[in-house]
Each structure stands twice: as structure tokens, then as C-alpha cells.
């Protein structure tokens, strides 16, 4: 039993990772992906809050679209975290910062449906800009896996933007 406990005990060590990416790049990519992960968490929570609280004539399309979006965003969280791990770094583990994942108090309260959609549009646009910049760096570093993952994420966000804009088009 003692040997099993010793084997399972976490040890801090520096790993040599030889996947063809420079250590400095992997560190920078992990930091940027951690920021993307936090932003994705925040957008997931905000989207779900709006899903629960939308009212008015746009209720049904917004309610259904936001449910689809928060489910997709939630699945993306795991994909992003696992890419950080594959780059040889820990996914964010400081739970003191989880409060930053949630919308600020009052940000999502008592908003009209159109205001909710416009707020989600702004957050998706910010996500697109952040991911596009990180994907370009990944391409330059030859990190095709991160670039491909971010391309997939960008595809989702750009389609989400199209659908959100279509709901509130006049």
C-alpha cells in the first residue's frame, strides 16, 4: 500500500518535451490558451445566464440558440485545457481566479433580449480577435495542432456571430 501511495503522490519535475516546438513558444502558447480558456468560461456562464433569463418576443429563438451555444462552449473548455496540457503546462489551477469567469454583478441583470444578444456579439467578437491572434502565432511557430484547434473554435464563434446578428437584424 505504501508503494502505491508513493507512486500516486504528485511530484514537481521539469519534463523534457521534444515535440518540435520551442520551450519559450510552448510557455507563451499555454499562457495565451489559458486566457482563452478563462474567456470561454466567462462566455459560457454569461450565455447560460441569458438563456435562463431572456423574455419577450425573441424568447424562443434566443433561448434555443443560447442553449446550443453554451453546450458547445462548455465542450470547448475541455479541448482548450487539454491542449495546454499537451504543450507541457498545467491548465489553470488557481481557483481564486474563478470569480473572473462569471459576469460582473449587475452585468446580466434586467437586460432586454436585444441588449443580451448585442452583449453576446461583443464577447464573441473579442473571442475571435484573441483566438485569431493566437492562431497566427501558432502558425508561425509551426504548431499546427493549436492552429487547427483554434480554427475550429473560430469557425464556431464566427457562425455564432452570424446567428446572433440575424436574430436582432432589423
Amino acid at each position: 500500500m505504501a508503494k502505491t501511495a508513493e507512486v500516486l503522490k504528485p511530484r514537481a519535475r521539469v519534463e523534457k518535451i521534444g515535440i518540435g516546438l520551442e520551450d519559450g513558444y510552448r510557455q507563451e502558447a499555454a499562457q495565451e490558451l489559458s486566457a482563452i480558456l478563462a474567456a470561454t468560461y466567462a462566455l459560457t456562464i454569461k450565455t447560460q445566464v441569458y438563456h435562463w433569463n431572456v423574455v419577450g418576443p425573441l424568447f424562443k429563438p434566443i433561448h434555443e440558440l443560447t442553449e446550443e451555444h453554451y453546450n458547445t462552449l462548455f465542450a470547448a473548455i475541455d479541448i482548450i485545457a487539454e491542449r495546454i496540457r499537451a504543450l507541457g503546462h498545467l491548465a489553470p489551477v488557481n481557483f481564486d481566479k474563478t470569480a473572473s469567469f462569471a459576469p460582473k454583478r449587475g452585468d446580466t441583470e434586467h437586460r432586454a433580449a436585444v441588449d443580451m444578444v448585442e452583449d453576446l456579439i461583443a464577447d464573441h467578437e473579442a473571442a475571435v480577435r484573441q483566438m485569431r491572434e493566437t492562431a497566427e502565432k501558432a502558425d508561425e511557430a509551426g504548431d499546427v495542432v493549436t492552429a487547427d484547434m483554434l480554427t475550429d473554435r473560430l469557425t464556431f464563434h464566427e457562425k455564432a456571430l452570424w446567428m446572433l446578428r440575424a436574430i436582432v437584424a432589423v
Side-chain angles (χ1 to χ4, degrees):
M1 181 69 170
K3 285 186 176 186
T4 302
E6 188 62 32
V7 170
L8 296 177
K9 184 177 180 183
R11 293 182 301 228
R13 65 184 173 106
V14 176
E15 292 183 87
K16 289 252 184 213
I17 296 179
I19 59 173
L21 298 173
E22 298 294 324
D23 292 346
Y25 164 76
R26 288 186 304 100
Q27 173 69 37
E28 180 183 347
Q31 289 172 344
E32 291 181 18
L33 289 172
S34 292
I36 289 169
L37 180 67
T40 302
Y41 255 116
L43 183 54
T44 303
I45 292 167
K46 182 185 279 186
T47 302
Q48 193 166 36
V49 168
Y50 286 161
H51 166 80
W52 292 328
N53 293 304
V54 66
V55 296
L58 294 175
F59 168 80
K60 187 164 177 54
I62 293 173
H63 186 74
E64 290 174 352
L65 185 61
T66 54
E67 181 173 10
E68 178 185 326
H69 286 180
Y70 73 69
N71 284 326
T72 301
L73 289 162
F74 187 75
I77 290 165
D78 194 53
I79 293 166
I80 297 165
E82 288 179 357
R83 184 61 192 150
I84 294 166
R85 292 296 295 134
L87 290 169
H89 295 274
L90 292 177
V93 295
N94 184 345
F95 290 106
D96 293 342
K97 295 183 179 178
T98 56
S100 68
F101 293 165
K104 303 294 180 251
R105 185 179 180 104
D107 281 356
T108 58
E109 295 176 7
H110 307 294
R111 285 186 171 231
V114 171
D115 294 336
M116 290 177 176
V117 172
E118 289 173 353
D119 189 36
L120 291 173
I121 287 170
D123 285 357
H124 280 280
E125 286 178 340
V128 165
R129 290 189 302 273
Q130 184 180 30
M131 289 179 189
R132 189 175 311 285
E133 183 178 312
T134 302
E136 288 171 4
K137 290 178 186 176
D139 270 339
E140 291 170 9
D143 184 0
V144 295
V145 176
T146 298
D148 184 57
M149 178 201 66
L150 290 170
T151 299
D152 186 49
R153 301 306 328 127
L154 284 163
T155 301
F156 162 75
H157 285 283
E158 289 184 356
K159 184 175 180 180
L161 282 163
W162 160 53
M163 292 181 170
L164 289 164
R165 286 187 181 106
I167 285 176
V168 294
V170 275

